[in-house]
Amino acid sequence: MGFSAFVRTFISSSQVCVQRAVGVRAACEEMKTTVLRLLQQPPAGPLSPSAGKHDGLHILNSTVKALKDGQVVAVPTDTIYGLACLAQNSEAIKRVYNIKGRNGNKPLAICVGEIQDIYKYCKVVVKEELLEDLLPGPVTLVLERSETLNADLNPFTKLVGVRIPDHPFMRRLCQVCDEPLALTSANVSTQASTVAVHEFEDLWPSLSVVVDGGPIGDQSRLGSTVVDLSVPGRYQIIRSGCAFSATVAALEKKYGLLEDSSS
């Protein structure tokens, strides 16, 4: 994974335990939130490649454990920071809505690690080549959900948005979890999307793990382009996002899809 880590463990007394070594958690009682910082190693840095992999593995395993325990975590993506939980865990989904203060009628997307995973949880009516052209990348594809997906996730619609972020940590996280993550932006609803962890620090006490991947390269805060591909031969842009032009060009020029302008 090529990362070293910096760990901060926050406890209810608001004191902070700081560690540079990753192998052992801070010996803090009443631990509340663990901040795991991914740091790119310099080419000639003092840490060996094996040390970087060890640190990355610690961060990955800590995040996976929190998710498997039904907790909500904050993670970097290729567009903005997100809040994630296991999509198949109904109680965890409720926590996400409560943390964000999100309207219960607004859906959550899912995030998977591989193209083939999409077929498990969605009914795909486009060519696999199209999926491979758009994903991994800053695009959310809205498809009809399959019966395998948790019925408590977006129970008010037969559709679901699915993402494969072009971010190595996020892809590996999904692969190791081996099930979809429910994913939404790391901010209180109605507030701006975030591109650095300090921007949603008010949410940290409600999170088990915050993975700090540094500032997101794309500072537009537009989030992914959301496109409905649930109708054969048609597409509908739900949100323009940061990849609008490239997405529309691929859908129309390469695959001959027609825009569905109906509401």
Side-chain angles (χ1 to χ4, degrees), residues 29-241:
E29 298 297 330
E30 301 180 278
M31 182 175 63
K32 196 161 188 177
T33 302
T34 301
V35 181
L36 302 170
R37 184 179 298 171
L38 300 173
L39 296 175
Q40 290 282 3
Q41 293 184 42
L47 293 176
S48 68
S50 60
K53 290 179 181 178
H54 173 78
D55 290 354
L57 184 61
H58 170 86
I59 296 172
L60 182 65
N61 288 341
S62 297
T63 309
V64 169
K65 183 181 185 304
L67 289 167
K68 294 291 187 180
D69 286 344
Q71 301 302 314
V72 179
V73 303
V75 289
T77 75
D78 52 351
T79 54
I80 55 178
Y81 272 86
L83 300 183
C85 72
L86 295 185
Q88 303 297 77
N89 187 319
S90 299
E91 290 302 315
I93 291 169
K94 291 178 184 177
R95 290 191 184 97
V96 171
Y97 278 93
N98 289 337
I99 290 169
K100 282 181 62 75
R102 187 175 178 84
N103 185 319
N105 292 322
K106 290 187 175 181
L108 300 179
I110 63 171
C111 176
V112 297
E114 303 290 348
I115 294 291
Q116 290 305 312
D117 295 331
I118 297 175
Y119 291 86
K120 298 178 187 177
Y121 304 103
C122 303
K123 299 177 181 179
V124 180
V125 295
V126 296
K127 294 180 179 179
E128 185 169 339
E129 183 185 1
L130 186 155
L131 302 182
E132 293 172 346
D133 275 349
L134 297 180
L135 301 172
V139 182
T140 299
L141 305 182
V142 177
L143 302 165
E144 187 173 346
R145 59 193 294 150
S146 75
E147 292 75 14
T148 305
L149 192 61
N150 183 5
D152 290 331
L153 178 74
N154 311 335
F156 44 83
T157 177
K158 66 178 182 179
L159 304 178
V160 67
V162 60
R163 282 211 68 196
I164 304 179
D166 189 12
H167 190 287
F169 178 81
M170 278 302 297
R171 289 199 68 187
R172 187 60 182 150
L173 181 63
C174 292
Q175 291 163 356
V176 174
C177 284
D178 197 30
E179 57 181 300
L181 303 183
L183 185 66
T184 185
S185 56
N187 57 281
V188 173
S189 291
T190 74
Q191 294 184 2
S193 299
T194 56
V195 294
V197 295
H198 69 84
E199 295 180 346
F200 59 92
E201 197 164 357
D202 55 327
L203 300 183
W204 289 13
S206 300
L207 307 174
S208 177
V209 171
V210 174
V211 179
D212 181 357
I216 303 295
D218 177 12
Q219 296 285 307
S220 70
R221 303 178 191 266
L222 294 177
S224 63
T225 295
V226 182
V227 56
D228 187 337
L229 296 178
S230 63
V231 178
R234 299 275 180 172
Y235 78 90
Q236 184 177 30
I237 298 295
I238 306 300
R239 181 177 70 195
S240 296

